[in-house]
């Protein structure tokens, strides 16, 4: 039986970040990073829309993303002169009608208090700022003038994975099939290749499968996979000043080079967990739901051509659409890094840093993630993020 001080289940951006910052913080013990899909063909990391924002409703989420933004600004210093993730600081524009205005204003107050460069403008001001925008049904919008945008998720993940090569982290390709626990302590992790890894600490960074991984240890985690379809389309018009626009309907659109990507049409009410094998886009969503909204919001998009699409799964926390971070209160050597509900990609480095500090120093130092702790799950006490996209 192989022995490791820390076994991290899930080797995409969250797991890789935890491993990276453990070494950066000076952890000298043995680390295994277990990933079942080393090409990341079905990973939430690589199938996301790869964006970063500060427009959240609670300060703790803003702080997590601000940590990553600072990392983006010093990528070459952190990872070398060749480090480039194609970060385009195009901003977010989150729109609201009359009914959504109170929440938009309340969120904006929180964001400004955290130092985010977000402006709140009425419909008239928005149409002056963005000539292509139709303000039909719009009362106001919050626009991130800096510190928000999108990037290359593959390049971002590879920066961390490549950085691990010289840090004595064992990268293991396998699926976890069982977790052995003795009372209040996890003992080992069994893999589908027949190996068993004895573990001093287990970190659950399994993304959409985090609920199942927790269940193997006899622990409940309200995280399940949800499928999201993303569509790519062409348009005659090129809007260089188009931010990542979020319509009050929840449908979003942003530029991607010479094309555009869009999504957000899935109805969340009564939605069920995704079939783990289903990565087929829901093609009907584009013509039936998305296109009419795009044509209303940006009239030039009445004439567009959908060219391709993909579908991915993300880790949805059914309790409150917020992350679960830190140790289980009773099984203290089982640590959660789960349930980000669509914003894990942008917050992974901050969580990796925070958990590394917790493991090495016994507490959070850079970013206090106590509010995301598991206790609220056990108590059924939501810590709800209102700005879920």
């Amino acid at each position: 039986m192989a022995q490791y001080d820390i076994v991290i289940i899930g080797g995409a951006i969250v797991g890789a970040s935890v491993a990276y910052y453990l070494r950066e913080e000076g952890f000298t013990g043995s680390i295994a990073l277990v990933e079942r899909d080393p090409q990341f063909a079905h990973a939430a990391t690589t199938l996301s829309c790869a964006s970063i924002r500060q427009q959240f409703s609670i300060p703790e989420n803003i702080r997590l993303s601000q940590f990553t933004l600072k990392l983006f600004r010093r990528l070459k210093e952190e990872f070398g002169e060749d480090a480039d993730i194609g970060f385009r600081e195009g901003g977010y524009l989150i729109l609201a009608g009359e009914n959504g205005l109170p929440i938009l204003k309340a969120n904006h107050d929180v964001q400004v208090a955290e130092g985010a460069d977000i402006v709140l403008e009425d419909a008239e001001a928005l149409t002056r700022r963005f000539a292509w925008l139709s303000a039909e049904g719009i009362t106001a919008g919050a626009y991130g003038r800096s510190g928000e945008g999108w990037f290359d998720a593959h390049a971002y993940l590879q920066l961390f994975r490549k950085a691990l090569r010289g840090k004595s982290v064992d990268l293991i390709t396998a699926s976890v099939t069982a977790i052995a626990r003795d009372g209040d302590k996890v003992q080992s992790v069994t893999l589908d290749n027949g190996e068993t890894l004895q573990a001093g600490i287990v970190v659950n960074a399994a993304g959409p499968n985090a609920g199942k991984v927790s269940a193997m240890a006899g622990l409940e985690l309200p995280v399940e996979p949800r499928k999201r379809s993303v569509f790519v389309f062409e348009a005659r018009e090129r809007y260089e000043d188009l931010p990542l626009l979020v319509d009050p309907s929840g449908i979003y659109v942003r530029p991607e080079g010479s094309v555009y990507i869009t999504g957000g049409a899935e109805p969340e009410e009564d939605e069920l967990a995704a079939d783990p094998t289903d990565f087929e886009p829901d093609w009907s969503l584009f013509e039936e739901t998305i296109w009419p909204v795009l044509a209303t919001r940006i009239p030039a998009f009445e004439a567009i051509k959908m060219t391709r699409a993909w579908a991915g799964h993300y880790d949805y926390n059914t309790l409150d659409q917020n992350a679960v971070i830190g140790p289980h209160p009773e099984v203290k050597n089982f640590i959660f890094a789960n349930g980000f509900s669509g914003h894990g990609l942008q917050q992974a480095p901050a969580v990796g840093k925070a958990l590394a500090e917790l493991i090495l120093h016994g507490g959070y130092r850079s970013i206090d993630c106590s509010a995301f702790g598991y206790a609220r799950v056990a108590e059924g006490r939501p810590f709800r993020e209102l700005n879920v996209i």
Side-chain angles (χ1 to χ4, degrees), residues 13-337:
I13 193 60
V14 174
S17 293
V18 173
Y20 176 80
Y21 282 107
L22 279 168
R23 290 299 189 222
E24 289 293 294
E25 283 294 303
F27 182 73
T28 58
S30 54
I31 302 173
L33 185 60
V34 181
E35 171 56 46
R36 64 178 184 170
D37 176 19
Q39 303 304 315
F40 302 102
H42 290 145
T45 293
T46 51
L47 294 176
S48 78
C49 287
S51 54
I52 184 169
R53 59 185 164 107
Q54 297 179 62
Q55 294 193 54
F56 289 96
S57 66
I58 59 175
E60 289 83 356
N61 273 328
I62 298 171
R63 293 168 197 162
L64 291 177
S65 289
Q66 286 176 336
F67 178 95
T68 302
L69 177 64
K70 290 175 183 175
L71 175 65
F72 282 8
R73 302 217 188 285
R74 54 178 180 81
L75 276 183
K76 295 185 185 302
E77 177 185 337
E78 185 84 14
F79 295 105
E81 284 301 312
D82 293 335
D84 182 14
I85 60 170
F87 178 40
R88 181 176 173 186
E89 209 163 338
Y92 269 65
L93 174 59
I94 298 182
L95 302 173
E98 187 174 348
N99 292 339
L101 184 58
I103 293 176
L104 191 72
K105 284 183 174 179
N107 291 352
H108 181 252
D109 289 343
V110 173
Q111 294 151 15
V112 171
E114 291 297 317
D117 184 19
I118 314 294
V119 293
L120 184 64
E121 295 182 332
D122 62 20
E124 184 178 347
L126 288 173
T127 53
R128 286 197 303 268
R129 183 186 289 273
F130 301 113
W132 39 262
L133 179 69
S134 166
E136 180 182 335
I138 298 301
T139 303
Y143 171 54
R145 292 180 295 190
S146 64
E148 299 186 318
W150 48 92
F151 52 93
D152 183 333
H154 293 264
Y156 174 57
L157 174 58
Q158 288 309 313
L159 283 183
F160 280 89
R161 296 280 298 188
K162 184 178 178 182
L164 293 179
R165 292 175 189 166
K167 294 186 180 296
S168 299
V169 174
D170 288 354
L171 306 179
I172 299 174
T173 300
S175 292
V176 173
T177 57
I179 297 174
R181 187 181 123 201
D182 184 8
D184 62 357
K185 190 174 182 180
V186 172
Q187 300 287 338
S188 63
V189 173
T190 302
L191 309 179
D192 63 351
N193 60 11
E195 285 189 80
T196 297
L197 311 179
Q198 190 169 347
I201 292 173
V202 171
V203 178
N204 183 356
N209 294 300
K212 292 181 178 179
V213 167
S214 295
M216 292 179 191
L219 303 174
E220 183 179 354
L221 181 69
V223 173
E224 62 187 31
R226 293 285 177 90
K227 188 174 81 167
R228 293 293 179 266
S229 298
V230 182
F231 301 90
V232 182
F233 68 89
E234 297 174 347
R236 286 193 296 267
E237 292 74 10
R238 292 281 301 278
Y239 296 124
E240 298 297 333
D241 63 339
L242 176 64
L244 194 158
L245 180 151
V246 184
D247 186 78
S249 65
I251 289 168
Y252 65 84
V253 61
R254 73 161 173 85
E256 177 63 32
S258 62
V259 296
Y260 299 90
I261 66 174
T262 184
E266 290 84 359
E268 292 190 22
E269 188 175 348
D270 299 324
E271 187 179 20
L272 301 176
D275 178 340
T277 65
D278 178 14
F279 287 88
E280 180 68 17
D282 292 332
W283 298 96
S284 63
L285 290 176
F286 183 79
E287 288 213 22
E288 294 175 7
T289 307
I290 293 176
W291 195 349
V293 171
L294 294 180
T296 298
R297 193 59 52 221
I298 304 174
F301 284 173
E302 289 183 4
I304 59 178
K305 178 184 177 184
M306 195 256 286
T307 57
R308 64 185 183 91
W310 75 86
H313 297 170
Y314 78 115
D315 46 331
Y316 186 86
N317 181 349
T318 61
L319 175 67
D320 55 17
Q321 295 79 64
N322 231 340
V324 180
I325 301 169
H328 189 277
E330 296 173 2
V331 186
K332 296 187 185 300
N333 71 330
F334 190 94
I335 296 178
F336 300 94

